[in-house]
Amino acid sequence: AQSVTQPDIHITVSEGASLELRCNYSYGATPYLFWYVQSPGQGLQLLLKYFSGDTLVQGIKGFEAEFKRSQSSFNLRKPSVHWSDAAEYFCAVGGANAGNMLTFGGGTRLMVKP
Amino acid sequence: NAGVTQTPKFQVLKTGQSMTLQCAQDMNHEYMSWYRQDPGMGLRLIHYSVGAGITDQGEVPNGYNVSRSTTEDFPLRLLSAAPSQTSVYFCASRNGQFYNEQFFGPGTRLTVL
């Protein structure tokens, strides 16, 4: 069965500092990986996705993520965090499971200090 | 396009009551799904549909029913509400392949007393 682990439940960074959110997955074949962001009281918005090609993918809002097959990881990065980036971030894996639906990690809540 | 809409935004039920959470999308998407979000557990799939008339169970289907009579609508029914069903419920839709973006509704916050 596929699974996703986000080891950090909460992360606090200072505005302007760099950010890395960790995501580890378990999947039996080629994974299809996603990062979503959820602002308070809102639904989820897609930041970026990976399913083939270049292992470094660029997303919206200045985010990027790198797929590392050897480490089963898909970490999300941003070089300089803005106060508006405070939100909850979810990593998800999709593929040839039932209905090809996504399996989500537990989420990482990002807080940004001024 | 309104995208994915959900009603109501908030609901309080007593144990044993039934209700239906509504979900509609105007993007002509084939795939629709329901998730519940609980702290520290991310989103877990309840039920999904790959087209009108076709539904299937996800990871946590017990206590919930769905039907898909039209492409646009995918209601989620709680048969006999329990406190364990207190959660935030999200409906999502996507078109075609699983690597396409899923679009999420704004959520329904349900409390069962």
Side-chain angles (χ1 to χ4, degrees):
Chain A
Q2 61 198 49
S3 66
V4 178
T5 301
Q6 295 179 244
D8 305 305
I9 297 175
H10 294 99
I11 283 185
T12 300
V13 300
S14 297
E15 191 169 17
S18 63
L19 171 70
E20 182 169 29
L21 302 183
R22 295 184 291 164
C23 171
N24 295 99
Y25 67 89
S26 173
Y27 190 70
T30 300
Y32 298 82
L33 297 156
F34 305 78
W35 275 100
Y36 281 85
V37 60
Q38 183 183 31
S39 298
Q42 304 296 313
L44 278 72
Q45 180 184 23
L46 180 68
L47 280 176
L48 48 79
K49 63 183 179 183
Y50 169 81
F51 56 91
S52 66
D54 193 344
T55 57
L56 184 65
V57 293
Q58 303 296 321
I60 62 171
K61 306 186 181 189
F63 285 92
E64 66 178 25
E66 186 171 14
F67 170 59
K68 293 185 177 181
R69 184 185 298 274
S70 61
Q71 298 177 17
S72 297
S73 69
F74 188 56
N75 294 349
L76 181 71
R77 301 194 293 246
K78 187 169 185 178
S80 178
V81 169
H82 188 262
W83 64 266
S84 60
D85 293 324
E88 189 152 22
Y89 292 80
F90 293 94
C91 182
V93 63
N97 66 337
N100 299 327
M101 294 298 166
L102 297 180
T103 298
F104 286 84
T108 298
R109 183 167 296 279
L110 173 66
M111 290 171 280
V112 180
K113 292 190 299 185
Chain B
N1 276 358
V4 180
T5 58
Q6 292 182 238
T7 56
K9 287 188 183 295
F10 302 94
Q11 183 71 49
V12 179
L13 293 178
K14 295 180 179 178
T15 296
Q17 287 185 313
S18 63
M19 79 159 294
T20 299
L21 307 185
Q22 301 292 343
C23 174
Q25 52 93 7
D26 61 358
M27 298 173 282
N28 202 33
H29 285 173
E30 302 163 296
Y31 292 77
M32 296 186 73
S33 51
W34 277 101
Y35 295 86
R36 59 177 290 172
Q37 181 181 23
D38 302 293
M41 304 187 73
L43 280 75
R44 292 180 292 167
L45 182 65
I46 304 171
H47 285 285
Y48 65 95
S49 168
V50 299
I54 306 170
T55 64
D56 207 345
Q57 297 181 350
E59 182 185 354
V60 288
N62 293 342
Y64 307 94
N65 271 359
V66 292
S67 59
R68 183 101 179 266
S69 56
T70 67
T71 300
E72 294 78 20
D73 301 298
F74 191 44
L76 178 72
R77 297 182 189 85
L78 280 69
L79 309 173
S80 177
S84 60
Q85 293 179 304
T86 294
S87 187
V88 181
Y89 292 85
F90 288 99
C91 179
S93 74
R94 76 162 200 266
N95 197 26
Q97 297 300 317
F98 54 83
Y99 45 76
N100 288 341
E101 180 177 356
Q102 281 205 82
F103 291 86
F104 285 82
T108 294
R109 183 174 295 275
L110 175 68
T111 302
V112 183
L113 302 175

